[in-house]
Amino acid sequence: MSVQSALDAVRTGETEAAFVPIENSVEGGITTTLDELVAGTPLMIYREVLLSITFALLVKPGTKLSEIKTVSAHPAAQPQVRNWLKTNLPDAVWESAASNADAARLVREGRYDAAFAGEFAAARYGLEALETEIHDAENAQTRFVLVGRPARPAAPTGADKTSVVLWQRDDHPGGLRDLLGEFATRGINLMVLQSRPTGAGIGNYCFCIDAAGHISERRMAEALMGLKRICRDVRFLGSYPRADVTAAQVRAPLPGTSEGEFMAAAEWVARCQDGRF
């Protein structure tokens, strides 16, 4: 199933949630997933997982490597096997598919000679793995997110991530700096910053951001409120546990940016308003 089909099934209520790839350590963001989260009916990320990725070359039984003229997989797979292809199948033509599983199905139907997919897919589609453990980069990983319809975010764990999409009111010098400043002044570390075209013309972009922290934390809530004030629009994609660290591994906040310090500052302002300073 393609990313779009999986998310369409979530939007229509056919399924409650779906895991979709959103980032690869070799190629970066999976643009299909990002664009689906940016546009259309709002969806929310519930959690994330990191998976080590290797590919198998799936073919019809009896196919030899020398007989392969066309290969297929999801476009995100191509950068992860490019060098292997140059060495082993330099003349093979790449044909993109909606997903790696769909590529395997197309091989079964005779459309293409081989597919890059998980080895487990061979049995499902009546194929065999001609080559296994294919990857150009050691320790390559893909980040998958569980996406569903909007709901209350899970409780904070102490090692969380918040994802948002930002649209500027207008294009002006320092515009991106203004957006990022809402995070920086509160000691919030940005983990991902990607621009995506809005479709409104050349030079029109929105920004997809992953930031360390949870919306229930005072500093993150204040940053999001600041962004809501200065942006044309903000889409909240969720606050969810990070897959790469535990709470014990999260870096200590910068001086003046801990939850306790934000709360103490808010209480001080309240006392001043009451004349109790």
Side-chain angles (χ1 to χ4, degrees), residues 23-25 49-54 139-144:
E23 182 184 6
N24 177 263
S25 61
V49 295
L50 297 176
L51 297 179
S52 297
I53 300 298
T54 62
N139 303 316
Q141 290 184 311
T142 295
R143 181 164 68 101
F144 289 79

Side-chain angles (χ1 to χ4, degrees), residues 38-246:
V38 165
T41 305
L43 295 171
M44 194 173 98
I45 299 172
Y46 296 159
R47 59 175 296 206
E48 66 177 9
V49 295
L50 297 176
L51 297 179
S52 297
I53 300 298
T54 62
F55 297 90
L57 186 67
L58 306 186
V59 298
K60 286 186 175 182
T63 301
K64 299 177 181 179
L65 195 64
S66 60
E67 297 172 335
I68 296 174
K69 306 302 179 185
T70 55
V71 296
S72 183
H74 187 275
Q78 188 175 16
Q80 302 177 63
V81 299
R82 184 180 292 126
N83 293 334
W84 189 93
L85 274 172
K86 287 180 180 179
T87 301
N88 297 278
L89 292 170
D91 298 321
V93 176
W94 177 275
E95 301 286 354
S96 293
S99 66
N100 296 338
D102 193 52
R105 178 184 63 81
L106 294 172
V107 171
R108 180 186 64 187
E109 294 176 0
R111 291 276 301 276
Y112 306 124
D113 298 325
F116 288 102
E119 187 176 356
F120 64 88
R124 179 174 182 179
Y125 293 98
L127 305 175
E128 67 177 17
L130 187 60
E131 300 281 348
T132 60
E133 297 294 318
I134 299 172
H135 53 81
D136 287 352
E138 293 291 338
N139 303 316
Q141 290 184 311
T142 295
R143 181 164 68 101
F144 289 79
V145 289
L146 182 64
V147 177
R149 283 170 287 183
R152 180 179 291 275
T157 66
D160 302 288
K161 180 183 293 185
T162 293
S163 298
V164 293
V165 185
L166 310 176
W167 286 263
Q168 293 177 281
R169 290 187 184 276
D170 55 49
D171 185 22
H172 62 273
L176 180 57
R177 180 201 60 192
D178 294 341
L179 304 186
L180 301 185
E182 295 293 333
F183 295 105
T185 58
R186 295 171 176 87
I188 297 173
N189 187 41
L190 298 189
M191 308 166 74
V192 174
L193 169 61
Q194 300 181 75
S195 60
R196 296 299 303 150
T198 64
I202 296 294
N204 286 279
Y205 292 88
C206 60
F207 300 97
C208 303
I209 290 177
D210 289 349
H214 194 281
I215 191 173
S216 67
E217 297 170 357
R218 186 68 64 93
R219 62 178 180 166
M220 181 64 75
E222 285 192 11
L224 295 180
M225 286 189 288
L227 291 166
K228 186 64 177 176
R229 291 195 305 270
I230 66 175
C231 289
R232 176 169 61 85
D233 196 12
V234 177
R235 175 170 285 195
F236 175 69
L237 296 180
S239 289
Y240 48 94
R242 290 174 58 178
D244 57 335
V245 298
T246 64

